[in-house]
Amino acid sequence: MEVSVIGNPQARICRAELAYRELGFRFGSEVISGESRNRVSFCNQSSKWKEIAIRCSQRSVKCEAIVSDDAPPFLNSTPKSKSLESVKLFVGLPLDTVSDCNNVNHLKAITAGLKALKLLGVQGIELPIFWGVVEKEAAGRYEWSGYLAVAEIVKKVGLKLHVSLSFHGSKHPEIGLPDWVAKIGEAEPGIYFTDRYGQQYKDCLSFAVDDVPVLHGKTPMEVYRGFCDSFKSAFSDYMGNTITGITLGLGPDGELKYPSHQHNVKRSGAGEFQCYDKHMLTALKAYAESTGNPLWGLGGPHDAPAYDHQPNSSTFFSDGGSWESQYGNFFLSWYSSLLTSHADRVLSVASSAFSGIGVPLCGKLPLLHQWHKLRSQPSELTAGFYSSNGQDRYEAITEIFAKNSCRMIIPGMDLSDEHQSPESLSSPESLLAHIKTSCKKQGVVVSGQNSSTPVPGGFERIVENLKDENVGIDLFTYQRMGALFFSPEHFHAFTVFVRNLSRFELSSDDKAADVEDETVSIGSGTGAPSLQTA
Amino acid sequence: MSTVPIESLLHHSHLRQNSKIYRGTRSFFIPCSLNLPSHFTSTKLLHSIRTSVGASSKHRRSVAVRASSSDTAVVETAQSDDVIFKENFPVQRIEKAEGKIYVRLKQVKENNWELSVGCSIPGKWILHWGVSYVGDTGSEWDQPPEDMRPPGSIAIKDYAIETPLKKLSEGDSFFEVAINLNLDSSVAALNFVLKDEETGAWYQHKGRDFKVPLVDDVPDNGNLIGAKKGFGAIGQLANIPLEQDKSSGEVQKKSESSSDSTKERKGLQEFYEEMPISKRVADDNSVSVTARKCSETSKNIVSIETDLPGDVTVHWGVCKNGSKKWEIPSEPYPEDTSLFKNKALRTRLQRKDDGSGSFGLFSLDGKLEGLCFVLKLNENTWLNYRGEDFYVPFLTSSSSVVETEATEAAQVSKHSKKTDKEVSASGFTDEIITEIRNLANDIHSHKNQKTNVKEVHENILQEIEKLAAEAYSIFRSTTPSFSEESILEAEAEKPDIKISSGTGSGFEILCQGFNWESNKSGRWYLELQEKADELASLGFTVLWLPPPTESVSPEGYMPKDLYNLNSRYGTIDELKDTVKKFHKVGIKVLGDAVLNHRCAHFKNQNGVWNLFGGRLNWDDRAIVADDPHFQGRGNKSSGDNFHAAPNIDHSQDFVRKDIKEWLCWMMEEVGYDGWRLDFVRGFWGGYVKDYMDASKPYFAVGEYWDSLSYTYGEMDYNQDAHRQRIVDWINATSGATGAFDVTTKGILHTALQKCEYWRLSDPKGKPPGVVGWWPSRAVTFIENHDTGSTQGHWRFPEGKEMQGYAYILTHPGTPAVFFDHIFSDYHPEIAALLSLRNRQKLHCRSEVNIDKCERDVYAAIIDDKVAMKIGPGHYEPPNGSKNWSVAVEGRDYKVWETS
C-alpha cells in the first residue's frame, strides 16, 4: 500500500477530484449555497444535477403543482399526467374577451390567467367568437384581428384552443347581433323569435328564416356559411394544432333551443312557446293545412301558462292536458321539427365548410332540468324538445348529431338534484343521464360543461359525472374565466377540483394494473397511494 | 488482487465478503479494508464516499489519504470504469414517536408561581396560550398581561400568545417553556394547546384546550389540569397519574395580598402532571445510487445502498429504446430476485452487517438505457422519489470520468442534451417542461442555479398563485358584472323586484339590541321588549337580537343544542313574545346565527369532544378535518378556523340540509325576519348563499372580521386588500347578504384618533371602506358587543363616537347603531341623526360626493340634499342654488340639510 502512495501519485489526485465532485453534487441538491466552495468541478456537477433534477421531476413538478396544499410534496400520491390527459380540461374565456371594436379586453389578466392555468395542468381554452363582433359593420366584412390576437396568446402559452362560433347575442355582457342585421330587424321584425305578446327576442334569428333570404338577399344559412369560410381561412395557421375543436352556435345562448324564457332572469315558470313571428306563423299555417286541420294553424296553444305561472296553473301541461291531445301532438311535433331541422342545417353547413381540416365539430344542448319531474316536462316542450311517440325526446337531435359526426356538449354537469328547490320539480341528474344514454345509443361523443354560476357541491358533482364510465366524457370545459373564477375562494376550489380529477384517474389506473402496458404504474401507481398510510 | 473477474459480481455470495466495507458511519464512508479482492469493490469504495453536507476540507483530505492506502489495483480500475450516474436520493419515512407532555406548577415566591410545560419528543414546539380573567364566563381566551409573557413570545391577534419551547440544555431531550404567574393579577386560568410547527399538528387535552385553573371556581369542562381536592374539582383526570410534590404541601395563599378582583387562590397547589403524546415523525433516510460502466465487460453496474432499516426490497425494471416503460431484463439476476407478475423484478437488498442499512448490486446489459425502481419496505410501505420512480440513466458515452475537467464538462453537457431529446421523445411530456424551465430561469436569472427540485415546485405553486391573483385583480377592476352596477341593473329590469336579503328595502337602519353583559340579568328579552316603542320612534327598522340557542358561554356564541332556545337571555316563549312585540311596532328582527362552530355534547372514544347531541346529533364527520383540536372527519375547512369549538364542515350535504332546516324552523317558530351571521370567515360564502336561498330572509348581514393592514404599527392608507376580502365574501354569497364594514370602522379609528381625516377618501375620491365599493351590501357600524361593551377588543376612540355616527348615519350603506350608545348621553344626538336620515330618505345606495378631505376635516355631500363634516377643521357647504340649514351639530361634527 505504501507502494501505491509513492508509486502512483497521479491516482491520488484523481481520487481527490472525485471526492470534490461528489461534494459539489450534494451541495447542489441540498441547496446550500456552494459559491464559497467553487471549483470548476462543482459547476460541472451542479449543471449535471440540474439536468437530473428536472429529469426526475418532469411529471412530479406538473402534478405537484396540482396537488398543492400542505402535505409535504413527496408524501403525496402522484397522479400520473396521463390521467389528466384522458379527460381534457378546458376553461372558457370571458364572453367579452374581444370587445365590439376588436380590442382584447383585460389582455393582461387573460395572459396571466392562461399562464396560471397552464401551470396548473389545464389543457386548453374555450374562446367564444361572436358574429356580432366579427361581422359587425356590414355583410361579408369580417374583422378577425381581436380573436386572432387571442389565439396567438393561447398558442404561445402552449394551450389548446376550442372556438365557439356564436351566431347569437348576449345580454351580460351586452353583445348584440351584427349592426347591419339589427338594422334589418328594425324594418323586418319577423326575423326574430316572438312570443304571443309580440315581444321579440333580438339575440337570435328565428329558426323559420333559416332558408329565407332575409339578409340582403341571402339566407342566414348562406351568411353563416360565409362566416365559417372566412374563419377557416383566417385561422388556417392554427387549425388542427392550436385549434382542436369548433362549436357551432345552434340558437339562443349558443344552445339548441327556442328562447322560451326570452330574457326573463327569474325562471319561475316553464317558459312560453316562441312561434309568433311572421315566418313561424306562416309555416304553422301551411303545416296545419297540409295535415287537414287548418284551424290549428292560426296560432300557438291558447291554454299554455304565462312566463311566471306555474306549469300546472293552466290546462296545457297538466296530466291529460292539451299537450297529450291530438292537437298537442300536432303542434309540438311541428314546433320541435323546426328545431331539429335547424340543427341539421347549421351542422351540415359547418361540416361541409370545415370538412377535411381534421378538427371535430360540436354543438351544445341545453339542460332543461326544471319541471323535469312533471310528466309533460314543460320546460323541454317550450324549448322545442318533443317526441310524438312519447319516447325519447332527444333521439331526433342525437341522430342529427350522429349524421353530421358532431360531438354534443351538455352543460349543467355540476348540478345535483338535492340543490334544486323542491318546488321546481327539477332533476338535472336524471335529465343528464337521459341525454347521455341517448347519445350513447347513436354513438355521439359527449363533452361536458358546468352551469355558468358556481353552485354548492358543484365540483364534486362534475367529478362524479366525469367518472361515469357509461358514457366516457373525454373533454370538460369549465365556464368561465373572470373575476369570480380567480377570486381566492373559487380559484382554490378549482385547484382542488383539478386535483380530484386526477385522483380518480389514478384509482382507475390501479384497476387497470393488470393490463399489459401498465407496467409503469406498478411503481408509482400502486406504491404511492399506500405511502400515505405508511 | 485485481484478477478477480467482474463477472463474479453477479454472484452475490461472493460479494458478501465485501459487505464489511459498509461498516462504519452512515454518512461518512471509511474504507477500512485493505483486502479488497476485486477491482469493482474498490471502485465502489471510491465512489461511495459520502460526505456529510458540511464536510470540511480536512475531511476531503483525509479521504484522499485514506484512499491512497489502498493498493494499486484500485487506482487502475478507477480509471477503467466510468461513473455514469451518481445520486443520493433523500427519502422520507413516517414513524410514530411516543413521548409525554408534562405540566408543572411551582411556587417560586409567595405570590410568584411558575408554570412549566414541556415535551419529550423533539420538534419545533410552540405553546399557543391565553388566559381567562376572573369574571370571564365564556371559554374565549384573552391576552395575558405583558409581564407574564416569556421573551420570544408573539401575540396572535387579540386572544393568544405563541411562545416557543426551548431545549432545557444541550443534550437534554426535553423541550420546555416556563411562564411566570403573578397572582396579583386577575388571571383566573391559563389555557393552552401545544403546536408542533414541523408538522403543523396541534395537541390538546381531551379534545379541548389545556386549562390550568388558578382560582377555585373555574368551570370544569373536563379539561382542567392540576385541579385537585384543594379546589374541590369535579373528578380526577382519568389515566393521568397525579404526582404531587409532597414538600410543597398545601400552599395557602393570602387573599389580602391579591388585588380586589383576584378571587380566592387558597387551594392553589403545586402539581406535576404528565400525559402521553405521540407524534408522527418523518424519518429522513437516503438511497444512494451509483451506476458505472465497466469498460471491460461493457456492462452497467448499479449499486444501490440505503440506510433504511429493516428489509428493503427493490422493485425494478429496465428501460430500453428511450421509453420509461418497465421491462424485464434478461437473466442472470442478482441473488434473492423474484419475478413479479411478469412486470417487474424484486430483489431483496443485503443487510449490512452492522444493521445500518442494506445494499445491492445489479449488473445489467450495457445497451440498456436505464434502471427504474421503487423500494418496498413491507407490504404496505413503498418509497419512491418524490412521487416518481427512481430512475438511473445509463450513458452510452465512453469517455472516462477521471480525465480532465474539460472532458467531464463536455460529457455532462452531452448527457443533458441527450436527456432533452429523450424527454421530448417520450410520450408524456408536453410544453410544460419548457415552461417550467423558463420559469425556473426567470426566477433565478443565472443559469447555474443551485435550487433543488422542491424549491422549484414551490416556485411553481407560488407562480400559479401569483398569476391567479394578478388575473383576479385586473378582472375585478375591469369587469363591471362584478360590481354594483350590474346588480342594480338586474334588479331594475324587474320593477317589482322582491326585497333583497342583502339590503332589505335599502332604507334599513339597524339597532344592535344587546351588549356583552345582556345575559347577566337572565331576562334580557323582557327588558328589551319595554324599549320596543322607543326604538321604533327613533326610526330603527331592524333589530339584531343576541344568539338564542343553548350555549356553553352565557353570551351565546358557543352554541350547543341549536334547537334549544332557552338561553341566558330568556326562554323561548319570552323570545317569541319579544319578536311579536317588535313586529307590532314595525321593526324586523334578526337572529344571531352561529353557524361556524358548535360545541359538542359528548366525547368520542379518544376523549375528544366531538359528538353532538340534541336534535342535530351529528358526529365527527360534521367537523372539519383541519380543525386542530377536534379530530374532525369532515373535509378541509372552506374558511378560517375558530379554535375554541369544533368548526362545522359545511361542505357536507347532511350538515347543510340540517342547517337549512334549522334556519327555516327559526323563521317559522320564532318569527325571525333575517340573520346576523357570526364568524363567516370560517366557511365559504357560497354555502351562505345556499342558506339564504333556503331561509329567504328579509335582511341578512355577515360578520367578516379580520385585521386591517398596518406597516410598522401605522395603519396603511390603502385598505383595498382588506375591503376586497369582505367584498369577495359578499360576492361569494352572490350578494345575498351584506357584511359589516370593518374597513370603515378601522379607518375611522385612525382618522379620528390621530386627526388624519385625509384617510377618509380613497384614491378615486370615494369612501375608503366597503361602503365605497359596494355600498348596498355594507353594514356600517362603529361598535359592537365584541369591539366595545365590556370586552373592548377594539374600542372606537373614546369621546369621538358621535363623529362616527355623523359619518355612518349620513353615508350610504346600512348603518348599525350599538345599543350602549343609544341609551347613553349620546341619545339626543343619535336621535337627531336618525331622524335626519329618515327625513331625507338617505338609503344604502345614496350617492356620496366628498367635498373636502384634509388633515383635520372631512366633508361630504350626500344625494345633494345632506352635507356633513367631521373633524375640528372648518367647512361650510358650497353656496349655490341650495339653501343649507344646520340639522345636527355636536363636538367636531356638523350636518346640514337642504330645506
Side-chain angles (χ1 to χ4, degrees):
Chain A
M1 277 90 259
E2 300 285 325
V3 181
S4 75
V5 176
I6 302 156
N8 206 335
Q10 200 82 42
R12 217 184 335 164
I13 293 162
C14 296
R15 189 167 251 196
E17 217 71 76
L18 202 57
Y20 285 141
R21 256 204 314 275
E22 284 163 21
L23 281 172
F25 197 100
R26 296 282 300 269
F27 290 137
S29 56
E30 301 276 355
V31 222
I32 286 175
S33 158
E35 255 84 31
S36 59
R37 301 165 207 274
N38 55 353
R39 302 196 130 244
V40 182
S41 60
F42 180 86
C43 293
N44 291 340
Q45 280 294 5
S46 77
S47 61
K48 180 176 176 184
W49 161 76
K50 180 185 154 199
E51 148 271 302
I52 287 168
I54 288 173
R55 180 195 179 90
C56 295
S57 61
Q58 305 140 358
R59 286 192 293 174
S60 59
V61 164
K62 181 176 177 182
C63 300
E64 228 91 65
I66 295 155
V67 173
S68 80
D69 284 19
D70 312 311
F74 19 87
L75 291 183
N76 285 322
S77 64
T78 307
K80 291 155 54 94
S81 53
K82 174 174 152 278
S83 64
L84 261 181
E85 274 150 25
S86 70
V87 177
K88 293 201 185 70
L89 180 63
F90 277 56
V91 175
L93 282 169
L95 291 174
D96 60 349
T97 296
V98 174
S99 73
D100 52 7
C101 20
N102 264 289
N103 288 324
V104 181
N105 285 329
H106 14 254
L107 177 65
K108 260 184 92 177
I110 287 175
T111 315
L114 291 184
K115 279 186 192 157
L117 291 179
K118 173 70 187 174
L119 287 175
L120 200 55
V122 165
Q123 272 84 13
I125 294 299
E126 184 259 358
L127 169 67
I129 294 183
F130 281 91
W131 183 29
V133 172
V134 176
E135 202 178 348
K136 181 183 168 71
E137 304 285 329
R141 199 191 296 160
Y142 306 101
E143 181 55 60
W144 296 103
S145 57
Y147 290 111
L148 278 167
V150 175
E152 186 58 28
I153 298 168
V154 173
K155 184 184 176 185
K156 273 198 184 131
V157 176
L159 288 161
K160 300 293 176 204
L161 187 62
H162 191 123
V163 297
S164 303
L165 304 181
S166 309
F167 300 113
H168 61 275
S170 137
K171 202 82 191 158
H172 296 289
E174 180 91 51
I175 300 169
L177 295 185
D179 291 350
W180 60 276
V181 175
K183 212 166 168 194
I184 294 170
E186 277 167 32
E188 168 62 50
I191 63 170
Y192 296 123
F193 286 109
T194 308
D195 63 14
R196 60 174 152 171
Y197 317 106
Q199 295 176 58
Q200 291 147 17
Y201 178 86
K202 294 188 177 175
D203 279 332
C204 189
L205 297 182
S206 164
F207 298 150
V209 298
D210 277 356
D211 284 331
V212 183
V214 288
L215 303 175
H216 297 325
K218 282 189 174 177
T219 68
M221 285 302 135
E222 286 162 355
V223 172
Y224 293 171
R225 171 72 197 235
F227 187 85
C228 290
D229 288 339
S230 171
F231 167 75
K232 187 177 150 189
S233 66
F235 286 78
S236 56
D237 288 351
Y238 300 94
M239 220 57 98
N241 45 62
T242 299
I243 296 178
T244 56
I246 300 172
T247 302
L248 276 305
L250 295 176
D253 305 323
E255 297 173 349
L256 180 61
K257 65 179 180 191
Y258 285 91
S260 48
H261 287 275
Q262 290 231 355
H263 281 304
N264 291 326
V265 184
K266 201 171 174 198
R267 307 202 159 182
S268 51
E272 295 206 39
F273 294 105
Q274 309 288 325
C275 58
Y276 295 88
D277 66 74
K278 191 175 94 188
H279 301 276
M280 279 278 194
L281 288 174
T282 315
L284 177 60
K285 191 157 176 264
Y287 180 70
E289 280 160 6
S290 73
T291 53
N293 287 303
L295 287 178
W296 285 354
L298 300 178
H302 66 282
D303 55 351
Y307 289 114
D308 53 352
H309 287 172
Q310 295 273 313
N312 277 338
S313 62
S314 56
T315 50
F316 191 82
F317 294 122
S318 49
D319 281 3
S322 318
W323 72 280
E324 285 184 289
S325 69
Q326 221 183 339
Y327 164 75
N329 185 41
F330 153 84
F331 175 77
L332 292 169
S333 302
W334 166 79
Y335 189 68
S336 65
S337 71
L338 250 66
L339 184 81
T340 317
S341 57
H342 171 73
D344 193 19
R345 276 191 287 266
V346 177
L347 294 180
S348 310
V349 160
S351 52
S352 77
F354 295 116
S355 69
I357 59 161
V359 176
L361 297 183
C362 316
K364 186 178 174 188
L365 250 61
L367 192 72
L368 303 154
H369 56 84
Q370 282 198 331
W371 311 112
H372 186 72
K373 288 178 188 159
L374 286 179
R375 257 190 63 236
S376 54
Q377 297 168 347
S379 292
E380 292 168 65
L381 293 182
T382 55
F385 293 89
Y386 176 73
S387 158
S388 59
N389 58 14
Q391 298 294 310
D392 179 6
R393 292 177 172 184
Y394 293 86
E395 192 180 3
I397 300 293
T398 43
E399 269 170 20
I400 298 293
F401 273 68
K403 183 185 123 194
N404 291 291
S405 344
C406 186
R407 290 158 160 265
M408 186 179 288
I409 299 172
I410 311 176
M413 297 241 172
D414 54 338
L415 299 175
S416 43
D417 287 3
E418 62 172 313
H419 292 299
Q420 307 304 318
S421 83
E423 307 92 69
S424 73
L425 299 173
S426 158
S427 178
E429 289 174 30
S430 57
L431 177 57
L432 188 58
H434 176 90
I435 303 179
K436 284 202 280 195
T437 314
S438 191
C439 284
K440 198 180 177 186
K441 247 187 242 162
Q442 302 282 348
V444 173
V445 184
V446 174
S447 302
Q449 276 189 17
N450 53 322
S451 51
S452 52
T453 43
V455 292
F459 285 119
E460 289 82 352
R461 184 72 204 137
I462 295 172
V463 171
E464 269 170 49
N465 266 317
L466 296 180
K467 248 191 269 191
D468 181 5
E469 282 169 9
N470 236 338
V471 179
I473 296 170
D474 62 349
L475 173 72
F476 184 83
T477 306
Y478 188 80
Q479 301 296 10
R480 174 173 291 288
M481 237 194 233
L484 180 62
F485 181 85
F486 285 110
S487 69
E489 291 85 359
H490 180 270
F491 192 73
H492 175 76
F494 181 74
T495 314
V496 173
F497 161 65
V498 177
R499 173 180 67 191
N500 288 343
L501 207 55
S502 35
R503 276 270 166 80
F504 87 75
E505 278 302 324
L506 184 69
S507 57
S508 65
D509 276 1
D510 283 350
K511 267 183 269 156
D514 288 325
V515 180
E516 200 266 318
D517 66 350
E518 278 297 316
T519 328
V520 185
S521 72
I522 295 175
S524 51
T526 27
S530 49
L531 245 187
Q532 292 188 317
T533 56
Chain B
M1 279 178 163
S2 58
T3 54
V4 176
I6 282 281
E7 277 66 25
S8 69
L9 294 174
L10 299 176
H11 309 295
H12 273 227
S13 53
H14 185 130
L15 266 176
R16 212 169 280 147
Q17 60 185 284
N18 302 331
S19 58
K20 55 177 171 281
I21 63 167
Y22 290 91
R23 204 180 291 137
T25 63
R26 280 198 279 148
S27 57
F28 194 93
F29 183 71
I30 302 168
C32 50
S33 168
L34 304 182
N35 271 331
L36 300 168
S38 76
H39 58 207
F40 166 67
T41 28
S42 34
T43 27
K44 166 73 196 141
L45 177 157
L46 254 182
H47 296 293
S48 56
I49 292 167
R50 295 166 58 209
T51 311
S52 62
V53 179
S56 66
S57 56
K58 188 172 151 214
H59 276 125
R60 288 189 225 147
R61 188 161 58 245
S62 71
V63 171
V65 171
R66 280 165 202 267
S68 69
S69 65
S70 309
D71 63 5
T72 46
V74 172
V75 173
E76 283 162 18
T77 46
Q79 283 171 322
S80 60
D81 276 4
D82 297 345
V83 170
I84 52 178
F85 178 83
K86 181 158 181 63
E87 171 68 277
N88 190 23
F89 300 97
V91 289
Q92 269 203 336
R93 223 158 25 95
I94 304 296
E95 273 197 358
K96 205 168 159 186
E98 305 212 323
K100 59 181 184 183
I101 293 177
Y102 64 82
V103 182
R104 180 196 296 120
L105 185 66
K106 208 167 68 180
Q107 189 173 26
V108 183
K109 270 195 313 220
E110 194 175 335
N111 231 1
N112 245 337
W113 290 63
E114 186 183 83
L115 180 79
S116 345
V117 179
C119 177
S120 67
I121 302 181
K124 220 174 150 193
W125 296 101
I126 301 282
L127 188 76
H128 184 90
W129 61 288
V131 300
S132 313
Y133 287 100
V134 172
D136 281 3
T137 36
S139 43
E140 287 87 358
W141 298 6
D142 272 311
Q143 289 281 26
E146 287 284 352
D147 58 356
M148 269 176 70
R149 304 179 191 176
S153 300
I154 300 161
I156 304 297
K157 311 226 172 108
D158 54 352
Y159 53 78
I161 289 287
E162 289 200 339
T163 311
L165 272 64
K166 295 208 178 80
K167 259 199 172 173
L168 280 180
S169 61
E170 210 44 58
D172 200 326
S173 65
F174 282 89
F175 292 78
E176 194 187 87
V177 63
I179 297 164
N180 282 317
L181 308 173
N182 182 352
L183 296 186
D184 292 335
S185 69
S186 58
V187 173
L190 201 133
N191 313 301
F192 67 90
V193 291
L194 211 53
K195 180 174 149 193
D196 182 11
E197 290 231 303
E198 268 174 13
T199 57
W202 299 72
Y203 296 87
Q204 50 177 185
H205 184 49
K206 299 183 173 182
R208 292 174 177 245
D209 309 331
F210 291 87
K211 195 172 189 84
V212 180
L214 303 175
V215 294
D216 57 2
D217 63 347
V218 173
D220 186 10
N221 289 321
N223 59 340
L224 295 188
I225 309 273
K228 295 199 200 82
K229 39 195 177 298
F231 282 159
I234 316 153
Q236 293 281 27
L237 299 167
N239 70 36
I240 290 167
L242 300 179
E243 269 182 45
Q244 196 153 343
D245 196 331
K246 283 188 182 117
S247 63
S248 73
E250 295 262 318
V251 180
Q252 295 283 328
K253 294 297 318 141
K254 287 197 177 93
S255 53
E256 299 92 277
S257 65
S258 325
S259 65
D260 298 346
S261 61
T262 311
K263 290 269 180 103
E264 290 289 302
R265 299 188 195 270
K266 267 186 200 139
L268 195 57
Q269 292 175 7
E270 298 196 346
F271 71 85
Y272 175 83
E273 278 188 21
E274 277 182 5
M275 41 228 97
I277 66 160
S278 64
K279 167 184 167 180
R280 287 174 170 266
V281 189
D283 251 18
D284 285 316
N285 292 99
S286 68
V287 176
S288 96
V289 179
T290 313
R292 281 162 307 101
K293 180 148 232 135
C294 173
S295 53
E296 288 169 31
T297 58
S298 67
K299 291 220 172 208
N300 290 312
I301 316 284
V302 179
S303 89
I304 299 176
E305 190 197 340
T306 174
D307 56 358
L308 287 161
D311 274 333
V312 180
T313 302
V314 180
H315 190 103
W316 60 286
V318 296
C319 307
K320 293 177 191 162
N321 313 326
S323 82
K324 269 211 181 178
K325 241 167 101 173
W326 289 37
E327 291 183 38
I328 308 294
S330 52
E331 295 190 62
Y333 303 136
E335 204 176 72
D336 253 344
T337 299
S338 58
L339 192 59
F340 176 71
K341 288 191 184 170
N342 235 346
K343 289 166 193 156
L345 291 167
R346 284 183 163 176
T347 304
R348 203 170 72 216
L349 293 180
Q350 313 280 314
R351 296 285 273 274
K352 291 182 198 169
D353 288 356
D354 62 356
S356 66
S358 321
F359 71 97
L361 283 172
F362 301 81
S363 169
L364 300 165
D365 194 302
K367 293 190 195 83
L368 296 171
E369 300 218 344
L371 169 77
C372 296
F373 68 95
V374 292
L375 297 177
K376 182 167 172 279
L377 301 187
N378 57 44
E379 269 322 305
N380 298 318
T381 316
W382 295 75
L383 288 179
N384 52 18
Y385 180 60
R386 300 186 175 179
E388 290 291 310
D389 301 339
F390 291 95
Y391 180 66
V392 183
F394 300 145
L395 281 177
T396 45
S397 156
S398 59
S399 59
S400 174
V401 180
V402 271
E403 284 177 12
T404 61
E405 307 282 355
T407 326
E408 169 76 341
Q411 191 185 343
V412 168
S413 69
K414 210 185 289 169
H415 182 177
S416 73
K417 257 191 212 122
K418 182 172 179 299
T419 318
D420 283 0
K421 228 194 307 174
E422 218 172 272
V423 165
S424 57
S426 62
F428 65 85
T429 179
D430 61 23
E431 306 90 329
I432 194 92
I433 186 69
T434 39
E435 180 78 37
I436 286 159
R437 283 204 181 125
N438 292 342
L439 188 68
N441 286 342
D442 285 351
I443 294 164
H444 312 274
S445 47
H446 51 104
K447 286 234 161 164
N448 278 338
Q449 29 143 339
K450 291 149 196 89
T451 44
N452 66 6
V453 180
K454 197 180 155 203
E455 208 180 357
V456 173
H457 292 187
E458 280 166 6
N459 286 331
I460 289 162
L461 283 178
Q462 279 172 11
E463 188 67 14
I464 292 178
E465 271 175 27
K466 214 179 78 192
L467 289 165
E470 185 188 345
Y472 175 49
S473 66
I474 306 172
F475 269 127
R476 183 165 44 71
S477 54
T478 56
T479 311
S481 64
F482 193 57
S483 68
E484 179 76 345
E485 285 87 52
S486 74
I487 290 153
L488 281 174
E489 189 181 47
E491 285 167 359
E493 265 175 18
K494 301 168 281 171
D496 57 344
I497 183 189
K498 278 208 322 206
I499 278 153
S500 156
S501 58
T503 59
S505 65
F507 294 87
E508 309 298 343
I509 304 176
L510 194 66
C511 165
Q512 176 174 7
F514 64 100
N515 62 27
W516 197 244
E517 304 298 317
S518 302
N519 62 81
K520 295 275 157 55
S521 67
R523 51 189 301 278
W524 182 251
Y525 293 141
L526 300 176
E527 291 169 28
L528 200 60
Q529 265 188 47
E530 293 160 16
K531 309 219 188 287
D533 292 318
E534 183 174 3
L535 291 173
S537 67
L538 281 169
F540 288 105
T541 62
V542 179
L543 175 78
W544 159 19
L545 284 182
T549 60
E550 177 198 17
S551 163
V552 169
S553 64
E555 297 85 13
Y557 288 100
M558 302 287 277
K560 200 167 165 188
D561 180 356
L562 299 185
Y563 280 95
N564 179 354
L565 299 188
N566 295 310
S567 69
R568 301 284 277 269
Y569 298 101
T571 65
I572 179 166
D573 293 326
E574 291 165 352
L575 172 62
K576 286 194 216 168
D577 248 26
T578 310
V579 172
K580 256 189 220 127
K581 169 81 186 166
F582 277 95
H583 282 170
K584 211 175 269 172
V585 299
I587 292 182
K588 307 269 183 196
V589 181
L590 304 187
D592 199 325
V594 184
L595 302 178
N596 175 68
H597 52 267
R598 184 182 165 202
C599 293
H601 290 66
F602 313 107
K603 292 186 249 189
N604 70 359
Q605 70 279 5
N606 303 336
V608 173
W609 290 84
N610 63 9
L611 302 176
F612 301 94
R615 185 158 148 194
L616 300 181
N617 53 348
W618 301 333
D619 59 11
D620 46 4
R621 282 171 307 160
I623 301 174
V624 296
D626 49 346
D627 188 315
H629 301 46
F630 297 101
Q631 302 182 357
R633 284 199 297 132
N635 297 316
K636 266 192 76 176
S637 174
S638 53
D640 292 336
N641 271 332
F642 173 82
H643 58 212
N647 282 244
I648 298 306
D649 178 10
H650 293 263
S651 70
Q652 303 276 3
D653 297 335
F654 72 93
V655 170
R656 282 204 306 278
K657 183 176 154 280
D658 283 349
I659 289 181
K660 283 188 257 188
E661 234 176 76
W662 176 68
L663 290 171
C664 294
W665 175 80
M666 295 257 282
M667 290 265 184
E668 186 89 347
E669 186 72 18
V670 182
Y672 284 129
D673 304 287
W675 311 113
R676 178 270 182 187
L677 301 163
D678 185 57
F679 199 82
V680 293
R681 263 169 65 203
F683 51 104
W684 180 47
Y687 299 135
V688 173
K689 174 179 191 303
D690 204 15
Y691 300 145
M692 294 308 111
D693 287 352
S695 59
K696 301 191 179 62
Y698 170 83
F699 183 81
V701 54
E703 178 211 30
Y704 193 100
W705 182 10
D706 65 358
S707 182
L708 279 77
S709 341
Y710 294 82
T711 309
Y712 301 119
E714 173 138 339
M715 177 186 279
D716 295 341
Y717 164 64
N718 185 328
Q719 295 293 346
D720 286 358
H722 186 261
R723 55 174 163 171
Q724 184 63 55
R725 288 192 292 274
I726 298 176
V727 166
D728 287 347
W729 178 81
I730 304 170
N731 195 58
T733 73
S734 309
T737 69
F740 286 110
D741 189 349
V742 183
T743 321
T744 293
K745 170 170 163 71
I747 293 170
L748 281 171
H749 272 227
T750 311
L752 271 51
Q753 197 153 33
K754 300 178 139 180
C755 195
E756 295 175 341
Y757 289 86
W758 47 266
R759 291 178 180 273
L760 289 171
S761 170
D762 74 4
K764 290 185 173 163
K766 294 214 162 187
V770 178
V771 71
W773 273 358
W774 200 346
S776 66
R777 298 301 188 277
V779 177
T780 48
F781 72 110
I782 68 164
E783 206 78 289
N784 63 30
H785 58 287
D786 283 324
T787 64
S789 189
T790 46
Q791 294 202 89
H793 286 317
W794 195 38
R795 200 179 294 284
F796 201 77
E798 224 145 356
K800 302 188 190 279
E801 289 88 350
M802 278 321 299
Q803 289 186 57
Y805 281 120
Y807 183 91
I808 68 169
L809 287 174
T810 54
H811 277 56
T814 302
V817 183
F818 185 42
F819 189 84
D820 291 9
H821 293 150
I822 303 167
F823 297 98
S824 72
D825 296 346
Y826 297 132
H827 185 282
E829 291 176 71
I830 291 176
L833 286 169
L834 288 170
S835 121
L836 169 84
R837 185 174 181 95
N838 282 327
R839 180 166 70 239
Q840 291 293 349
K841 296 199 169 48
L842 298 181
H843 53 89
C844 68
R845 298 185 181 90
S846 284
E847 196 186 328
V848 53
N849 282 309
I850 299 178
D851 203 22
K852 197 170 187 181
C853 189
E854 290 168 7
R855 187 187 64 82
D856 61 350
V857 63
Y858 165 89
I861 296 172
I862 300 96
D863 276 353
D864 282 335
K865 50 192 178 190
V866 172
M868 60 80 70
K869 77 120 192 176
I870 52 175
H874 174 78
Y875 173 80
E876 280 295 326
N879 289 322
S881 53
K882 290 198 181 73
N883 234 342
W884 295 108
S885 59
V886 176
V888 193
E889 193 172 357
R891 193 178 146 200
D892 287 342
Y893 77 92
K894 207 166 178 180
V895 183
W896 297 261
E897 61 186 322
T898 54
S899 43

